[in-house]
């Protein structure tokens, strides 16, 4: 009881202290117009809660989630096959190596040339960026399956289906989830870039960029907070999914 | 397929549960062929508790993997009354060095899964799983997750899972190697008790001579490398027994015989064999 209370109260107390000092500093010295105190940020955020911001949040979330889902849907199976089938790994290896280190955002102008200033270009950009962390984690996960698990599966005469569903999938789940969580974070980062560089007519990237052009700091701060909230929300959603099975998702998986 | 009686007898000849004939194994390592096993032949009568003992890297683990169908011999054959061993099957159960329980399931689900894979119905599998966990002394821990159990308890659960296959031969690859000394001794006595109850033929690999002599009706010492049988001994110890037996002259004699054999073999080998090389051998074996 007191343990769980402490777990919440400690970081909360730290937050209050830090924000308090920050707020206090704003009182003591006069901050320039572009430097907000926590109170001002909160005020700006509350003031921004209107349908227009709502549609921006929705547009950004949809783009990020669409790109992320495409990346996940491609990366998980491709990584699984690459990890299990040597020739496929050999074929993919040089491309993965080349594109992994490439700042994917540098492809955006090219994508715009191909697909125009469209959501196709933006979402492709997001999907390409999120693909790599998910691929790399999933690949490592499948490769890292304890060979003992597979031996047990053959010993008990598990069918291919039982082997895949009951052994391989749960064994890679923790690594897959790690990759997916990073994929979500990357998706959001790239969504902002894709909205700004990709000349998006809507979305939080547009909102922040407009705030910047108009020197409307309130709008910029509000947009940033919204971005953080989307990221927090999506990550919490993923973590909620992993709550359901205590044995699964890495808890108690030997290193 | 199974022996008509699980009662041990020294006078009547038991049918052979597993026959190893002229088995060799050569690994390819860094572009060179390394022979891990010289031709090895062994005939294991049904119901026998055979221990295979030898230093690290002598090929004993490789031999066990081949017996279980987890590795293929370079030449030679392994056969059971059911036919040649061409791959892993439920007829030959393996307990691995580290308990390979699935951490995403409770202990009883781990055992039940093995039964389900053999076609047992859901309810019956769970029922049988609980009986087996009771047999290995894990009654009350059915719904624990593997990471909530100690190393010894995990190995008990893994043993229950393998016993659920009702294998005609039970292979054990240094199953107590990772346990502390006290737990280890308890597990050895437990294994003797469980073996009395289940009556399975057991092949048990260890590098611990005391363990080998204590557990085995018959002790085979392997020398490396390549591994070959240096000694095949069936000491006449009272059965069943507890660790009390270790104070008897028969035990000490048997221990001394095995130790002398392994020491001679070791000194005959090239001196100054590095730890690292031995470790690599071990990894090669378990891979």
């Amino acid at each position: 009881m007191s343990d769980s209370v402490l777990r919440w109260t400690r970081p909360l107390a730290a937050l209050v202290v830090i924000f308090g000092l920050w707020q206090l500093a704003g009182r003591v010295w006069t901050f320039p117009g572009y430097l907000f105190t926590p109170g001002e940020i909160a005020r700006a955020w509350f003031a921004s809660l209107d349908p227009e911001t709502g549609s921006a949040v929705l547009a950004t979330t949809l783009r990020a989630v669409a790109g992320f889902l495409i990346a996940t849907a491609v990366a998980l199976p491709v990584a699984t096959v690459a990890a299990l089938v040597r020739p496929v790994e050999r074929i993919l290896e040089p491309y993965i190596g080349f594109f992994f280190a490439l700042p994917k955002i540098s492809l955006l102008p090219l994508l715009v040339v191909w697909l125009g200033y469209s959501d196709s270009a933006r979402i492709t950009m997001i999907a390409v960026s999120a693909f790599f962390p998910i691929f790399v984690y999933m690949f490592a996960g499948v490769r890292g399956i304890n060979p003992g698990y597979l031996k047990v599966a053959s010993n008990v005469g598990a069918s291919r289906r039982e082997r895949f569903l009951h052994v391989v999938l749960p064994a890679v789940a923790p690594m897959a989830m790690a990759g997916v969580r990073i994929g979500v974070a990357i998706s959001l980062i790239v969504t902002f870039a894709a909205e700004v560089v990709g000349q998006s007519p809507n979305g939080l990237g547009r909102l922040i960029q407009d705030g910047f052009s108009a020197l409307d700091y309130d709008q910029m701060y509000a947009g940033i907070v919204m971005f953080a909230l989307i990221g927090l929300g999506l990550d919490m959603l993923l973590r909620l999914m992993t709550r359901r099975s205590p044995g699964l998702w890495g808890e108690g998986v030997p290193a | 397929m199974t022996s008509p009686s699980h009662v041990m007898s020294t006078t009547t000849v038991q049918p052979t549960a597993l026959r190893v004939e002229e088995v060799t194994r050569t690994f390819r390592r860094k572009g060179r062929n390394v022979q891990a096993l010289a031709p090895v032949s062994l005939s294991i009568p049904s119901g026998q508790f055979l221990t295979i003992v030898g230093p690290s890297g002598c090929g004993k683990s490789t031999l066990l993997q081949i017996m279980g169908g987890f590795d293929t011999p370079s030449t030679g054959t392994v056969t059971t009354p059911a036919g040649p061993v061409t791959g892993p099957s439920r007829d030959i159960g393996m307990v691995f060095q580290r308990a390979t329980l699935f951490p995403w399931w409770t202990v009883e689900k781990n055992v039940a899964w093995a039964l389900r894979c053999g076609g047992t119905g859901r309810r019956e599998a769970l029922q049988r799983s609980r009986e087996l966990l009771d047999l290995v002394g894990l009654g009350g821990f059915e719904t624990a997750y593997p990471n909530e159990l100690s190393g010894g308890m995990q190995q008990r659960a893994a043993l229950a899972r393998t016993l659920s296959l009702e294998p005609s031969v039970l292979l054990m690859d240094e199953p107590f190697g990772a346990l502390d000394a006290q737990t280890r001794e308890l597990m050895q006595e437990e294994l003797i008790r469980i073996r009395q109850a289940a009556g399975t033929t057991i092949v048990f690999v260890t590098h611990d001579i005391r363990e080998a002599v204590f557990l085995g009706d018959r002790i085979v010492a392997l020398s490396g490398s390549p591994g070959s049988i240096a000694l095949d001994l069936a000491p006449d110890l009272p059965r069943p027994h507890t660790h009390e037996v270790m104070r008897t002259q028969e035990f000490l004699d048997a221990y001394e015989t095995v130790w002398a054999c392994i020491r001679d073999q070791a000194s005959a080998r090239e001196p100054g064999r590095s730890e690292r090389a031995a470790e690599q051998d071990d990894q090669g074996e378990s891979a």
Side-chain angles (χ1 to χ4, degrees):
Chain A
M1 175 63 198
S2 70
D3 255 16
S4 62
V5 168
L6 269 182
R7 223 174 55 194
W8 282 103
T9 48
R10 271 204 200 125
L12 211 66
L15 201 77
V16 168
V17 169
I18 290 167
F19 276 34
L21 286 175
W22 182 358
Q23 186 75 37
L24 206 68
R27 282 277 165 83
V28 176
W29 301 287
T30 314
F31 281 179
Y34 52 82
L35 202 55
F36 277 29
T37 61
E40 286 167 327
I41 293 173
R43 199 179 333 107
W45 181 73
F46 275 117
S48 77
L49 293 177
D50 54 25
E52 200 190 334
T53 314
S55 71
V57 168
L58 188 69
T60 294
T61 308
L62 285 179
R63 268 184 206 114
V65 168
F68 160 76
L69 286 180
I70 293 169
T72 308
V74 178
L76 293 184
V78 172
T80 306
V81 172
L84 296 176
V85 187
R86 284 274 171 188
V88 174
E89 186 202 355
R90 296 241 170 75
I91 291 166
L92 287 180
E93 208 176 13
Y95 303 99
I96 298 288
F98 179 79
F99 282 105
F100 186 58
L102 178 80
K104 260 70 70 182
I105 199 73
S106 66
L107 296 173
L108 187 57
L110 201 60
L111 283 170
V112 167
V113 172
W114 290 347
L115 301 168
Y117 283 115
S118 64
D119 267 333
S120 313
R122 291 175 209 116
I123 292 171
T124 305
M125 187 65 246
I126 298 161
V128 167
S129 303
F131 170 86
F132 286 91
I134 303 173
F135 177 93
V136 168
Y137 270 83
M138 186 64 179
F139 183 89
V142 175
R143 266 298 156 77
I145 293 179
N146 182 345
Y149 293 166
L150 300 177
K151 284 186 179 181
V152 168
S154 354
N155 200 175
V156 305
S159 64
R160 289 175 81 93
R161 191 173 159 273
E162 285 163 332
R163 189 189 182 86
F164 185 72
L165 288 181
H166 298 155
V167 183
V168 174
L169 277 191
V172 300
M175 283 294 264
M177 187 46 73
V180 161
R181 282 182 68 187
I182 295 177
V184 165
I186 300 267
S187 293
L188 275 176
I189 295 169
V190 177
T191 302
F192 174 78
E195 283 178 351
V196 173
V197 184
Q199 303 279 334
S200 174
N202 53 18
L204 284 175
R206 171 84 280 140
L207 196 92
I208 294 171
Q209 180 69 12
D210 284 351
F212 171 74
S213 306
L215 295 181
D216 182 348
Y217 301 125
D218 280 38
Q219 189 168 321
M220 289 171 75
Y221 275 105
I224 291 165
V225 171
M226 282 298 187
F227 244 124
L229 289 178
I230 294 174
L232 200 68
L234 290 178
D235 197 54
M236 270 168 67
L237 207 68
L238 281 177
R239 279 164 55 171
L240 218 70
M241 282 167 56
T242 69
R243 279 283 157 78
R244 286 184 43 225
S245 176
L248 199 51
W249 311 112
E251 276 162 61
V253 175
Chain B
M1 207 152 83
T2 48
S3 64
S5 159
H6 291 314
V7 178
M8 279 297 299
S9 167
T10 45
T11 49
T12 57
V13 178
Q14 295 283 332
T16 303
L18 195 74
R19 190 188 297 279
V20 176
E21 274 171 304
E22 299 290 313
V23 159
T24 68
R25 182 67 170 95
T26 306
F27 290 106
R28 190 128 184 101
R29 196 173 294 150
K30 288 177 191 149
R32 287 206 334 224
N33 285 326
V34 180
Q35 192 172 14
L37 279 181
V40 169
S41 295
L42 261 177
S43 181
I44 304 157
S46 189
Q48 187 169 64
F49 196 139
L50 171 73
T51 52
I52 300 177
V53 65
S56 292
C58 74
K60 56 190 190 300
S61 222
T62 305
L63 179 59
L64 199 73
Q65 298 286 326
I66 290 171
M67 285 180 179
F70 295 99
D71 191 8
T72 316
S74 302
T75 62
T77 55
V78 177
T79 49
T80 67
V85 173
T86 53
S89 78
R90 295 174 67 88
D91 193 37
I92 305 175
M94 173 78 98
V95 176
F96 297 92
Q97 197 162 359
R98 284 175 199 284
T100 44
L101 297 168
F102 299 142
W104 46 89
W105 284 331
T106 60
V107 169
E108 67 178 5
K109 260 219 89 179
N110 265 281
V111 179
W113 181 72
L115 287 155
R116 299 270 293 142
C117 287
T120 310
R122 188 181 298 270
R123 189 169 300 176
E124 201 191 329
L126 209 57
Q127 173 71 29
R128 181 91 188 98
S129 160
R130 287 176 187 150
E131 285 167 20
L132 282 161
L133 287 169
D134 220 33
L135 172 72
V136 298
L138 280 182
F141 291 94
E142 294 89 350
T143 54
Y145 281 90
N147 65 320
E148 297 169 335
L149 301 181
S150 68
M153 288 160 96
Q154 289 183 21
Q155 222 27 302
R156 283 167 197 258
L159 178 59
R161 178 173 63 186
T162 309
L163 286 175
S164 81
L165 309 176
E166 293 179 25
S168 58
V169 180
L170 179 62
L171 306 178
M172 305 185 80
D173 188 6
E174 301 203 34
F176 308 148
L179 306 181
D180 63 76
Q182 290 84 348
T183 310
R184 195 169 197 188
E185 295 216 343
L186 285 174
M187 290 295 288
Q188 289 164 358
E189 288 186 355
E190 277 285 284
L191 181 58
I192 286 182
R193 182 185 64 78
I194 292 162
R195 183 266 183 127
Q196 295 293 330
T200 322
T201 310
I202 299 179
V203 183
F204 187 107
V205 158
T206 178
H207 61 253
D208 181 343
I209 300 172
R210 270 163 54 94
E211 185 170 67
V213 177
F214 176 69
L215 290 174
D217 300 323
R218 175 184 176 197
I219 301 117
V220 162
L222 278 197
S223 73
S225 12
S228 61
I229 295 176
L231 180 78
D232 192 338
L233 187 74
D236 197 13
L237 303 181
R239 315 258 158 202
H241 57 224
T242 61
H243 277 88
E244 300 287 306
V245 82
M246 289 190 169
R247 288 200 285 270
T248 64
Q249 194 56 46
E250 289 92 336
F251 182 89
L252 295 172
D253 287 348
Y255 178 86
E256 194 48 49
T257 310
V258 178
W259 175 219
C261 170
I262 286 173
R263 188 173 39 206
D264 289 352
Q265 294 295 335
S267 57
R269 273 156 60 185
E270 54 179 314
R273 201 164 171 279
S274 71
E275 284 282 300
R276 204 176 138 71
E279 250 171 49
Q280 282 177 344
D281 274 13
D282 261 3
Q283 280 167 6
E285 273 182 63
S286 53

